[in-house]
Amino acid sequence: NAGVMQNPRHLVRRRGQEARLRCSPMKGHSHVYWYRQLPEEGLKFMVYLQKENIIDESGMPKERFSAEFPKEGPSILRIQQVVRGDSAAYFCASSPPRGTGGNQPQHFGDGTRLSIL
Amino acid sequence: AQSVSQHNHHVILSEAASLELGCNYSYGGTVNLFWYVQYPGQHLQLLLKYFSGDPLVKGIKGFEAEFIKSKFSFNLRKPSVQWSDTAEYFCAVSPQGTYKYIFGTGTRLKVLA
């Protein structure tokens, strides 16, 4: 499967623990986006990253949430000291570099469903 | 603020019925428009997209959408649905020249066999 790979598919954490969500973009894609979907709501933009750079994190909560996309390896969305309200589906998307044909559709992974006990 | 509205949250149809899902957005500038589908337990898949040109866009699996600029709408249609079209459908808007996607809340379609 050469698509966007997210793991784990399901993650259960207790309040106060840390959650790490991983995303490997499609081959040839250097742009990664993270979205959060709360029950009965649409996907909400969180952060946009390129390799080793955070381009836009305007959708990220100011505390406890961080994201990275290192030179090697997957992009990581980290949530520290999780609370019940963090329970949601977290989707990662990727796209090729801009300029390779203009705006390119984002391709989505299967998502990670995070449950906080 | 930019927003996308999908007014139908749940739609139930019988097989062979025609489908139209509404999508309206609020943004004054030029936009790119998308419909994504999410089958149960699967990831979002691109159904179709509009960047420019013919406002009637044909996508995969017999779906089409029409961009009506004056109405800020991008409704999804299919003349005859099948049981396998049961899924959740998301409309998304991206202001041209940006990377941000603004999603609607989704429409859950159930097709009865």
Side-chain angles (χ1 to χ4, degrees):
Chain A
N1 186 349
V4 178
M5 303 298 292
Q6 287 189 251
N7 68 82
R9 290 289 303 274
H10 300 274
L11 181 61
V12 179
R13 286 286 178 266
R14 296 188 181 281
R15 281 179 295 172
Q17 291 184 319
E18 179 179 283
R20 285 194 183 201
L21 289 62
R22 294 175 186 77
C23 170
S24 296
M26 281 181 71
K27 189 175 181 181
H29 287 193
S30 56
H31 296 204
V32 166
Y33 315 82
W34 284 94
Y35 294 83
R36 176 165 63 175
Q37 184 181 30
L38 294 169
E40 304 300 319
E41 294 188 17
L43 282 76
K44 294 280 177 20
F45 169 81
M46 297 181 74
V47 62
Y48 163 43
L49 309 105
Q50 296 176 19
K51 283 285 187 182
E52 301 184 279
N53 283 306
I54 297 174
I55 307 302
D56 182 345
E57 57 181 348
S58 59
M60 289 270 275
K62 294 286 185 280
E63 297 176 349
R64 304 186 298 108
F65 283 71
S66 62
E68 62 178 12
F69 189 17
K71 189 176 180 181
E72 302 291 338
S75 175
I76 307 286
L77 179 67
R78 183 183 291 111
I79 312 172
Q80 296 176 303
Q81 300 174 330
V82 295
V83 300
R84 288 244 171 90
D86 297 332
S87 295
Y90 292 83
F91 288 92
C92 172
S94 72
S95 68
R98 294 183 64 197
T100 54
N103 261 6
Q104 295 286 342
Q106 295 176 13
H107 297 260
F108 284 81
D110 288 334
T112 294
R113 275 141 186 91
L114 175 64
S115 297
I116 308 302
L117 303 179
Chain B
Q2 301 154 7
S3 65
V4 177
S5 297
Q6 290 182 247
H7 303 293
N8 312 104
H9 296 296
H10 297 272
V11 173
I12 300 175
L13 294 172
S14 298
E15 273 196 316
S18 65
L19 170 73
E20 181 160 1
L21 301 182
C23 173
N24 288 86
Y25 66 93
S26 64
Y27 180 74
T30 305
V31 294
N32 298 319
L33 298 149
F34 308 86
W35 275 97
Y36 283 85
V37 59
Q38 187 176 30
Y39 297 103
Q42 296 187 27
H43 59 273
L44 278 77
Q45 299 174 39
L46 182 67
L47 265 182
L48 48 79
K49 63 184 186 289
Y50 173 80
F51 286 171
S52 63
D54 189 343
L56 185 61
V57 180
K58 299 217 182 279
I60 61 172
K61 307 188 182 191
F63 285 91
E64 65 178 31
E66 185 175 12
F67 172 46
I68 302 179
K69 190 174 180 180
S70 60
K71 294 185 178 180
F72 299 90
S73 70
F74 190 54
N75 292 355
L76 181 71
R77 299 195 292 248
K78 185 170 183 177
S80 175
V81 294
Q82 300 171 310
W83 177 80
S84 57
D85 292 325
T86 294
E88 190 158 16
Y89 293 80
F90 293 92
C91 179
V93 169
S94 179
Q96 208 168 71
T98 75
Y99 48 82
K100 284 189 178 177
Y101 280 32
I102 303 149
F103 280 86
T105 52
T107 297
R108 288 192 179 165
L109 172 66
K110 185 170 184 176
V111 179
L112 304 175

